[in-house]
Amino acid sequence: MPMMIDDATRNSVADQLEHDAVYLDGSSLSEWWARLQSVACNYEDFPDPRSLFTRLAGLIRPNPINGSTSDGYHTFDELYHHRAVLFSVVVSAFPDKAWKAKAHSDGTMYGGMFIVGIDTPDGQATYHYDIDPYWGMFRCKELDRAPEWDGHTPEQAIERIGKLTGLIDRATTHLVLDEDGRTCCAKCGCDYLCMSSATYCPDCGAKVAKNG
């Protein structure tokens, strides 16, 4: 397993390289550069050892984390926007349980932001978003101040949101036998092999009502 190097260590090494690029004495630098001659090195990119030190420092130093930081697939800004759109859909599905406010219960708020929340059977689930452009996206009641925070963590918030599916009034179906004796959905007629043990129809999504 490769050794993980934290940002503090990376910054320390980069600082030392940048220091050496400026302050390493000429004789030591010449000796070091001579030893490096046996190693493949593009002298056009690095005309002198000091430029190599500076380049190495830049490669080692961790990049600042911001909205443009990417995991190789999405940036933080993209994921933030996706979360906002997806949560607005949840809020629209439960308008009687949702609210938004431009102030916390104590009157404070982060600059240019608002809080939107939904009351689940297990407690609150809330997120903060930028007023521009997200305020109008959340179609729910507007409060002067948000309800007092119940102490939920981000992990608890998403767990509570996931449990809201239990409140959705879903269509139901029964399992019946078709003319060939195969178990199928009474609503759409699909006869997947898993139907006999299914809790919902994999074709129409209806909840399977178990025969009592």
Side-chain angles (χ1 to χ4, degrees), residues 60-79:
I60 291 172
R61 194 179 300 283
N63 292 323
I65 296 177
N66 53 41
S68 298
T69 300
S70 173
D71 63 357
Y73 300 96
H74 300 284
T75 65
F76 282 150
D77 281 345
E78 287 175 328
L79 294 176

Side-chain angles (χ1 to χ4, degrees), residues 102 104 108-114 128-129 131:
K102 295 179 180 177
H104 297 130
T108 64
M109 181 49 65
Y110 310 119
M113 303 189 80
F114 71 100
H128 290 87
Y129 295 105
I131 292 175

Side-chain angles (χ1 to χ4, degrees), residues 42-57:
N42 189 329
Y43 285 86
E44 293 180 359
D45 292 336
F46 309 109
D48 59 70
R50 296 184 192 278
S51 64
L52 179 58
F53 275 33
T54 302
R55 175 66 181 279
L56 288 173

